[in-house]
Amino acid sequence: MAVIADKCPDITITVVDINKERIDAWNEENLEKLPIFEPGLSEKIKKCRGQNLFFSSEIEKNIQCADMIFISVNTPTKKKGLGAGQASDLKWVEACARQVAEFATGYTIVVEKSTLPVKTAEVIKNILAASQTNLEKTNKSFDVLSNPEFLAEGTAIKDLEDPDRVLIGGENQNAIDILSNIYNNWVPRKKILHTNIWSSELAKLTANAFLAQRISSINSISALCEATGASVSEVSRAIGSDKRIGSKFLDSGPGFGGSCFKKDILNLVYLSNYFGLPEVAEFWEQVTILNNWHQHRISKLIVKKLFGTITEKKICILGFSFKANTNDTRESSAIVICKDLLEEGARLSIHDPKVSEKQISSDLGVEPIAKENYPANKENNYGGWEFHSDILTAAKGSDAVVVLTEWEEYSTIQWDLIAKSMRKPSWVFDSRSIVVKEKVLKAGLNLWRLGDGN
Ligand code: UDX
């Protein structure tokens, strides 16, 4: 919305949310304190907020005066009931549709922005249609469009300003044209694709499934490279130069994270089963099974290299967000790997340039603990962790440094300095292939690099 506000000064945009605290945070004077860290976002907010971009918790009033409403609520995987563990929970979408049905006036275009299972637009349409027949002399009318978002975190502003495509699914050409015209303020016509509404919904799930599948594919090959003496980066380069395959999204890493991939694949699995296609469901499910196996593979390997035990050993974790340039930790592989290491009794010292100690605490489900209080639980030998904002301090006295996120600053670490303060034999585990191999080896450290069988 910040990008639309920036590109279309004549359109007034109000972002509403039932969570008043969040809205207050978006209205925060100090732009450093915005709830999301995303490169370039605070500049847009600074420019447009109070001009044509507003944040408000007055939902009813803003629905009333809106010509177009984007539903952008979360659709988490259902935890219980029908489809638990796979299907998306649509309760927030339904609640929004009901509010829109109740408070909208005149002609309103409702746009699905949240990633939704195929045929959700039908649910929204039914709810909206019911509101039209309920009130006899209603002046309400609606059109529903699907306009999935393909931006990736960390590059969101760039992705929005120069998208590969904008996808608009719908039935009513007039509504489609109105939304297309908004994007056309900065996106060329030929990049704005029109499809039917189901294709649009399915395209979003499929795009994420394909991207995740590429990562699981290359991660599976990384294990084979390690076993056979090949190098996964060389294999990636070799296959990526085939135009049919392409070079993007072939970086082997600690497994994919983020709020979308796992959720969307599970959704696809659920839908395939629902429509009587178990073979299709199994095919896609394997992508998440492999991802999960791969994450645990890394933690097991660390334990193995450190002589089969890490109880009370200090392990420095570099990076906790699911990828660089974001403070988002949802589904981050770091959570799985750190939990495994804690289970083995390790003392973790965690560094991340943007993720807060509080967030890590909530993700790991345990509070940080001071050095003298290890192990945290003497009976089961469960480890503990502490947070450090400085890499050198985080690594001091550790047996191993594990790189889990590809933050730029980890590629320029002075390993000779770090090596001096580590306990010997010391290890560097690089799951992102970003450390400079020669520098690590020259500093006298042992190096394990994901997919590097040399
Ligand atoms: C993804 C999609 O890319 C985006 O189009 C969609 O709108 C939302 O979901 P995002 O989750 O922000 O975006 O991040 P993305 O860059 O796709 O990375 C997802 C995960 O895959 C990260 O954990 C990342 O580290 C990992 N990844 C990505 C790899 O391990 N290797 C790669 O080559 C690329």
Side-chain angles (χ1 to χ4, degrees), residues 292-363:
N292 198 257
W293 168 80
H294 182 72
Q295 292 166 331
H296 293 299
R297 175 174 98 79
I298 294 176
S299 30
K300 279 191 192 138
L301 196 137
I302 295 171
V303 177
K304 247 185 172 167
K305 295 271 187 214
L306 298 180
F307 309 117
T309 174
I310 53 170
T311 309
E312 292 187 49
K313 284 186 182 161
K314 182 173 172 183
I315 299 181
C316 167
I317 303 290
L318 296 185
F320 203 81
S321 56
F322 79 97
K323 65 174 191 176
N325 296 320
T326 174
N327 59 351
D328 195 343
T329 61
R330 285 175 293 173
E331 301 294 338
S332 177
S333 295
I335 301 174
V336 177
I337 294 170
C338 287
K339 279 187 173 170
D340 280 352
L341 300 177
L342 289 172
E343 194 65 50
E344 294 278 346
R347 278 200 300 132
L348 304 181
S349 63
I350 305 177
H351 172 274
D352 189 287
K354 289 290 172 194
V355 179
S356 67
E357 183 175 19
K358 193 169 152 219
Q359 184 60 47
I360 298 174
S361 202
S362 137
D363 289 332

Side-chain angles (χ1 to χ4, degrees), residues 159-435:
D159 295 345
L160 286 164
E161 290 189 327
D162 182 22
D164 288 346
R165 79 311 211 175
V166 167
L167 184 55
I168 301 175
E171 284 157 5
N172 181 300
Q173 194 57 45
N174 178 48
I176 294 174
D177 289 344
I178 294 174
L179 182 56
S180 299
N181 288 342
I182 294 179
Y183 283 109
N184 193 222
N185 279 297
W186 77 98
V187 180
R189 282 264 174 227
K190 64 176 191 311
K191 283 191 174 181
I192 305 177
L193 311 183
H194 296 168
T195 64
N196 81 31
I197 205 152
W198 321 130
S199 301
S200 166
E201 289 180 335
L202 187 58
K204 170 66 190 183
L205 290 183
T206 309
N208 276 348
F210 266 60
L211 291 169
Q213 177 267 120
R214 272 174 84 91
I215 300 170
S216 277
S217 297
I218 201 66
N219 283 342
S220 74
I221 298 299
S222 76
L224 198 57
C225 287
E226 288 161 31
T228 58
S231 149
V232 76
S233 53
E234 288 176 0
V235 174
S236 288
R237 203 173 65 219
I239 63 167
S241 52
D242 183 326
K243 281 200 196 74
R244 293 167 303 175
I245 296 176
S247 60
K248 301 226 172 90
F249 257 71
L250 282 182
D251 292 331
S252 184
F256 59 77
S259 65
C260 297
F261 285 175
K262 187 171 158 201
K263 173 174 78 83
D264 290 352
I265 290 180
L266 292 177
N267 215 324
L268 205 57
V269 170
Y270 179 75
L271 284 173
S272 306
N273 277 323
Y274 179 84
F275 288 106
L277 301 164
E279 289 79 5
V280 178
E282 260 171 54
F283 174 77
W284 288 110
E285 192 167 18
Q286 195 55 38
V287 174
T288 62
I289 294 175
L290 194 289
N291 195 51
N292 198 257
W293 168 80
H294 182 72
Q295 292 166 331
H296 293 299
R297 175 174 98 79
I298 294 176
S299 30
K300 279 191 192 138
L301 196 137
I302 295 171
V303 177
K304 247 185 172 167
K305 295 271 187 214
L306 298 180
F307 309 117
T309 174
I310 53 170
T311 309
E312 292 187 49
K313 284 186 182 161
K314 182 173 172 183
I315 299 181
C316 167
I317 303 290
L318 296 185
F320 203 81
S321 56
F322 79 97
K323 65 174 191 176
N325 296 320
T326 174
N327 59 351
D328 195 343
T329 61
R330 285 175 293 173
E331 301 294 338
S332 177
S333 295
I335 301 174
V336 177
I337 294 170
C338 287
K339 279 187 173 170
D340 280 352
L341 300 177
L342 289 172
E343 194 65 50
E344 294 278 346
R347 278 200 300 132
L348 304 181
S349 63
I350 305 177
H351 172 274
D352 189 287
K354 289 290 172 194
V355 179
S356 67
E357 183 175 19
K358 193 169 152 219
Q359 184 60 47
I360 298 174
S361 202
S362 137
D363 289 332
L364 295 178
V366 281
E367 295 288 319
I369 171 171
K371 187 182 170 200
E372 51 280 12
N373 296 332
Y374 280 90
N377 185 333
K378 296 218 163 40
E379 266 158 39
N380 64 10
N381 259 344
Y382 196 76
W385 66 279
E386 56 199 67
F387 181 75
H388 289 284
S389 50
D390 170 63
I391 301 175
L392 214 60
T393 331
K396 196 171 169 201
S398 62
D399 295 90
V401 173
V402 183
V403 181
L404 293 181
T405 312
E406 73 284 23
W407 286 103
E408 172 80 29
E409 62 193 272
Y410 300 154
S411 63
T412 54
I413 288 177
Q414 287 187 287
W415 290 105
D416 45 347
L417 274 185
I418 294 219
K420 281 187 200 136
S421 74
M422 287 176 74
R423 193 164 82 141
K424 304 227 163 20
S426 354
W427 276 90
V428 174
F429 295 90
D430 179 11
S431 74
R432 294 283 188 173
S433 299
I434 58 158
V435 306

